[in-house]
Amino acid sequence: MKRQIAPIICVVSVLMTGCSDDNIVFNAPPQIRAYETDAAVLSRFVEVNDRTGLFSINPDKKVTATDYVVNRSREQLLEISSINRARFEREMEQANNLIKAYREADNVSVIYTILTSGPVINNEGGTMRISKLQSYNAAARAVARLSVSGDDICRTGFYSMGDNRLTVSCGNTSTFYVSRIAFVTSDDTSKGTILLAGLGINSLPYSYSLVLPEVNGEYLNIQGKSLMGNGNVTVGILE
């Protein structure tokens, strides 16, 4: 009888072990959100330092009016994946490095397009001056328009009237972009460079006053090149 019971006990033990294994709960790794989703949240907290001209993330920034009461935007910032944030900050650092390199030149102005504004920083030693206008007139006629994309150098030209009007719009699909626009005379003398830097997500068109006092009435070539980003930036000179 004992010889018959022993095999039965072994079979039951194996079955119980199998059932026990089936009940083991394996914790799946947390799902990482799409980079574009987290980048859209981080973009709302990006600011430009007035002194250095560099991008930074301000976690205390009030994105919406309700953030002064219930800071839901800050909660969304805390939910961002550390992997996606590290990627975003790497792209921001790449843009900052380009800005630092070009701002050391004499006659360079930087136009920024972040989600909430389009600030400008002029080089103190330069003659070119750019200032943001309060209104954007979509009906104004463009005497020159240049779309910059990829690594190609694009060109167009116009007669400078000393005080011109400039528009900037971005169709970039990458997070950060940096493009370079140079104003060059017929003898290849540079009369000023604009660095266009910003976030390509939901960027709005802005209008600026562009003053080029040294070339009033002269024909200028505009040369543009994308330094960072996979979309395009369009600048227009208006009447």
Side-chain angles (χ1 to χ4, degrees):
M1 184 67 178
K2 289 182 179 180
R3 291 180 180 179
Q4 293 177 348
I5 293 175
I8 294 174
I9 293 174
C10 292
V11 172
V12 172
S13 299
V14 170
L15 290 175
M16 291 181 64
T17 303
C19 293
S20 177
D21 290 341
D22 290 341
N23 291 330
I24 294 176
V25 177
F26 293 96
N27 294 323
Q31 191 73 21
I32 298 176
R33 292 193 301 186
Y35 174 70
E36 293 74 16
T37 301
D38 283 348
V41 175
L42 284 163
S43 297
R44 293 184 291 171
F45 291 87
V46 172
E47 293 183 340
V48 177
N49 186 292
D50 294 336
R51 183 179 58 82
T52 65
L54 303 181
F55 295 113
S56 63
I57 297 173
N58 179 6
D60 298 320
K61 182 179 179 181
K62 300 296 187 291
V63 177
T64 64
T66 57
D67 288 341
Y68 289 93
V69 182
V70 180
N71 201 338
R72 176 56 184 154
S73 298
R74 179 64 180 271
E75 293 177 3
Q76 292 176 343
L77 183 64
L78 295 175
E79 293 170 358
I80 286 175
S81 159
S82 59
I83 295 176
N84 288 340
R85 176 157 184 159
R87 175 180 169 182
F88 186 91
E89 290 177 342
R90 284 196 303 270
E91 293 186 27
M92 185 170 65
E93 182 181 8
Q94 183 182 353
N96 282 338
N97 288 337
L98 287 169
I99 293 170
K100 283 190 290 187
Y102 274 88
R103 282 200 70 203
E104 295 177 356
D106 291 334
N107 208 12
V108 176
S109 296
V110 186
I111 295 179
Y112 302 87
T113 54
I114 55 179
L115 298 188
T116 54
S117 64
V120 179
I121 296 181
N122 292 295
N123 190 303
E124 293 181 0
T127 57
M128 181 176 62
R129 282 292 176 267
I130 299 176
S131 57
K132 186 169 178 278
L133 299 175
Q134 295 301 317
S135 61
Y136 173 76
N137 184 5
R141 189 175 77 90
V143 296
R145 189 177 299 277
L146 182 70
S147 292
V148 182
S149 61
D151 295 326
D152 296 331
I153 297 178
C154 308
R155 293 180 177 86
T156 189
F158 72 103
Y159 282 97
S160 173
M161 301 310 295
D163 189 354
N164 307 275
R165 192 168 171 199
L166 174 74
T167 60
V168 178
S169 59
C170 176
N172 208 295
T173 56
S174 59
T175 306
F176 286 92
Y177 73 89
V178 180
S179 295
R180 176 181 176 270
I181 303 292
F183 298 100
V184 183
T185 59
S186 56
D187 61 355
D188 291 333
T189 301
S190 176
K191 291 300 180 180
T193 298
I194 300 176
L195 203 65
L196 307 168
L199 293 154
I201 304 174
N202 299 326
S203 292
L204 299 175
Y206 292 103
S207 185
Y208 304 87
S209 170
L210 169 64
V211 179
L212 296 163
E214 294 181 342
V215 288
N216 190 14
E218 292 189 38
Y219 186 82
L220 286 179
N221 293 303
I222 311 176
Q223 300 177 355
K225 183 177 181 180
S226 174
L227 305 176
M228 175 183 177
N230 59 9
N232 63 73
V233 181
T234 301
V235 296
I237 305 294
L238 308 182
E239 285 186 329

